[in-house]
Amino acid sequence: MLTSSEGKGASGSHRSAFASPEFRRYFPAAIFSTLGSWILRFLLGWSAWDLTQSATWVGIVAGLLLAPALVLSPLFGIVSDRINPRNGLLITLGLHAALAGMAGLAVVSGLFALPVLLALSVALGIASSAQTPVRLALIPSLVPRISLPSAIGYSAITFNTSRILGPALGASLIQWSSPAAAYFCAAGLMACGIPFLLGVSGRQPDAVSASRSGFFDQLRDGLRYTRTHLSIRLIFGFTLINALLGRTVMELLPALSGVLLRGDSSTLATLTAAAGAGSILGGVVVSRQGSEESRLVSLMLACLAAGAFLVTALGWTSQLISFACLIGLLSTATTIVGTSSQALAQLQVDDEYRGRVLSLWTMLAMGAPAVGALSLGMLADQFTFPRVLPAFSLLALIALAYLNRHRVRQP
């Protein structure tokens, strides 16, 4: 349980994930695939603007990349519980590389138009919604339990570093070469990850469990398991607070930059860089943790509370350097909470439900910031950011106190 280090939470000190040969074989695949994926996502967004000069179509493409995960993740979570996640990751990585290659060929042949872009965006969204559950289900099979937070932390570092480098590399390739070359580069990077992934054995599925019940019966079992598992419900609650506070603020950086700082594109670039640096630092912090749940919970709660105060401070800051420092600290706290909550969910869940539970965690972590950004943005237009940000922070602190009270009382 989340109240002590007993039972599942019992653990020793920190042990690096790189001490495990399986993780060492997997990590280069993660680097290549994540960097290639971020280049591809950037290129699709850039292509939407290049083809239409319309912010609406850019938003539609972004929505098509995200929406399938919100709908299909639970179904692919079931799949990841029925197969070896390594094999699922091989398939989805191959699909990502193929889609990038198809985009490059379409550009070269002169066939790259808006319908092709929309079709590629939908296909990539579906492939990504399949990849996330199998990747999350694979990681615990690569390391011993004590190294799980370290593995998740290093995965977060890879993700957030690629989120910064990918768009920069994609933009440079467009400027110095061509869009087709950029698409082919993304395809090549993702293809480079496949040989490393072939060296990973992964986890064999529980064939007996999978054969006992149908696909949708397993979906219901996963939902019932999550609903009746108090610790996992609490972890989901903390994840929701983080998504609606820190993650939401990160989604609204362009608006915050324009309204509170009266900034331009260089101002936004500075804030984005600060957020990126903070997220990398947050991943480093979690990568140094062991599997003692009480320590992870304390770290998560402290960062959630700190995040609420940082969000409040943003509303009353008008100097770029101070604002960038607050954003960097908030990004660090938000990343620590996100990776810690994922680690806690991984430590709590039974293997046979891992894919299904983590697919629900993914839906919550990805979908809530979209709702939060819409709500916070509308309220800020009506009441201004300096009033709305403290209100959001206060609500987050109240929810945090409520969940922590239930955590302390759980048996």
Side-chain angles (χ1 to χ4, degrees):
M1 291 297 183
L2 297 181
T3 53
S4 70
S5 59
E6 297 175 358
K8 275 191 172 187
S11 67
S13 59
H14 163 76
R15 183 189 182 201
S16 173
F18 287 109
S20 302
E22 283 276 274
F23 187 81
R24 293 199 301 270
R25 287 190 286 268
Y26 161 80
F27 195 67
I31 292 174
F32 283 119
S33 64
T34 306
L35 182 58
S37 177
W38 274 107
I39 292 174
L40 180 55
R41 285 177 175 272
F42 165 80
L43 291 173
L44 292 176
W46 174 87
S47 296
W49 178 258
D50 186 59
L51 288 172
T52 67
Q53 301 294 304
S54 167
T56 299
W57 281 111
V58 174
I60 289 173
V61 167
L64 292 176
L65 291 171
L66 178 62
L70 302 179
V71 178
L72 299 176
S73 283
L75 301 182
F76 286 120
I78 299 171
V79 174
S80 68
D81 285 335
R82 297 166 72 104
I83 65 172
N84 184 336
R86 191 283 307 262
N87 297 336
L89 195 55
L90 279 170
I91 293 171
T92 57
L93 183 54
L95 287 173
H96 276 69
L99 289 170
M102 290 169 60
L105 290 173
V107 172
V108 169
S109 62
L111 298 176
F112 197 91
L114 185 58
V116 174
L117 172 62
L118 297 178
L120 288 170
S121 300
V122 171
L124 181 62
I126 294 173
S128 297
S129 68
Q131 187 177 75
T132 300
V134 296
R135 177 178 58 81
L136 294 180
L138 174 64
I139 290 176
S141 70
L142 306 177
V143 296
R145 181 181 180 82
I146 192 175
S147 299
L148 189 52
S150 174
I152 294 172
Y154 284 123
S155 297
I157 294 171
T158 302
F159 179 88
N160 289 306
T161 303
S162 298
R163 186 172 62 178
I164 298 171
L165 296 180
L169 181 56
S172 298
L173 287 168
I174 291 172
Q175 181 178 0
W176 298 109
S177 184
S178 68
Y183 277 114
F184 287 134
C185 177
L189 284 170
M190 288 184 279
C192 285
I194 292 177
F196 293 98
L197 204 53
L198 288 171
V200 175
S201 60
R203 166 181 62 82
Q204 296 304 317
D206 185 352
V208 174
S209 175
S211 64
R212 282 179 186 163
S213 56
F215 193 84
F216 290 101
D217 289 333
Q218 285 193 290
L219 176 60
R220 285 191 292 270
D221 288 343
L223 293 173
R224 187 182 306 113
Y225 175 86
T226 302
R227 187 177 64 251
T228 57
H229 199 302
L230 178 57
S231 292
I232 290 177
R233 292 208 324 267
L234 285 170
I235 292 167
F236 278 23
F238 293 128
T239 302
L240 181 61
I241 295 173
N242 190 52
L244 291 175
L245 189 66
R247 288 286 308 279
T248 289
V249 168
M250 294 302 159
E251 293 294 328
L252 287 175
L253 272 185
L256 289 165
S257 172
V259 173
L260 296 178
L261 300 180
R262 301 290 188 267
D264 53 17
S265 59
S266 63
T267 306
L268 179 58
T270 300
L271 298 181
T272 302
S279 62
I280 294 171
L281 177 59
V284 171
V285 171
V286 177
S287 73
R288 303 301 302 169
Q289 306 304 310
S291 59
E292 184 181 352
E293 292 177 17
S294 60
R295 180 170 178 172
L296 286 170
V297 170
S298 297
L299 182 64
M300 181 177 64
L301 295 177
C303 287
L304 275 173
F309 289 106
L310 289 167
V311 168
T312 298
L314 286 173
W316 303 101
T317 305
S318 58
Q319 298 298 318
L320 176 58
I321 299 301
S322 300
F323 202 95
C325 290
L326 289 173
I327 288 294
L329 291 172
L330 178 62
S331 180
T332 300
T334 299
T335 301
I336 289 174
V337 175
T339 50
S340 296
S341 68
Q342 184 194 140
L344 287 165
Q346 292 270 29
L347 291 167
Q348 284 287 325
V349 69
D350 295 309
D351 278 340
E352 62 181 302
Y353 294 101
R354 189 174 301 278
R356 282 164 282 181
V357 169
L358 290 171
S359 68
L360 296 174
W361 181 90
T362 300
M363 281 183 60
L364 197 62
M366 293 177 62
V371 177
L374 177 62
S375 303
L376 181 57
M378 292 176 62
L379 289 170
D381 284 340
Q382 187 71 27
F383 301 106
T384 75
F385 277 116
R387 294 178 178 176
V388 174
L389 290 175
F392 260 60
S393 298
L394 179 60
L395 290 174
L397 289 172
I398 292 172
L400 180 60
Y402 174 81
L403 290 178
N404 189 51
R405 182 181 179 185
H406 280 263
R407 179 187 71 87
V408 173
R409 287 184 174 182
Q410 75 177 103

